[in-house]
Amino acid sequence: ARSPSGVRVVEEAMQHTSSLDRLWLARAVVQDPKLLPHVAQARHGPGVISQVVAVLPERECARACQVLMHTGAELRNSRHGKKVLASLGSYGLGSADAGGCFASGC
């Protein structure tokens, strides 16, 4: 998922695989702290990130959120990154700027 087409492949895989496979794909995206913000800024990134957040257990979701919050300034400079930050709020993670992710949990 280091290229735009790779992010698209991950998005399609998240939509068309079993729940167990979706969980492992989500874990793979979160495993590399540099990959998650990269994915978030890609054209299909907001879809991938929302699916990742939806399938991860609470602790792993919080870790993903932490990575995204630490790159918030970078994400705010990207059209798709802004969508990801906004979507965190729609998942009950609160305002990205206020660090609401940690207050509400995943």
Side-chain angles (χ1 to χ4, degrees):
R2 296 199 183 276
S3 69
S5 57
V7 174
R8 177 72 174 144
V9 168
V10 171
E11 181 181 44
E12 287 296 316
M14 291 290 288
Q15 294 174 359
H16 299 288
T17 59
S18 70
S19 59
L20 183 60
D21 287 339
R22 283 192 297 272
L23 176 60
W24 285 108
L25 279 169
R27 285 177 170 160
V29 170
V30 174
Q31 184 176 8
D32 182 354
K34 293 180 183 176
L35 181 60
L36 195 61
H38 174 77
V39 169
Q41 295 177 69
R43 179 179 176 201
H44 299 283
V48 172
I49 298 299
S50 67
Q51 292 173 16
V52 165
V53 169
V55 302
L56 286 175
E58 186 175 337
R59 175 177 265 177
E60 293 171 80
C61 179
R63 180 174 155 223
C65 187
Q66 182 180 21
V67 169
L68 291 170
M69 293 302 105
H70 284 212
T71 58
E74 180 182 347
L75 295 179
R76 280 188 292 278
N77 290 326
S78 159
R79 179 175 72 177
H80 303 296
K82 287 177 187 175
K83 290 179 186 178
V84 168
L85 291 174
S87 73
L88 292 177
S90 71
Y91 274 95
L93 301 178
S95 165
D97 292 328
C101 180
F102 302 109
S104 301
C106 289

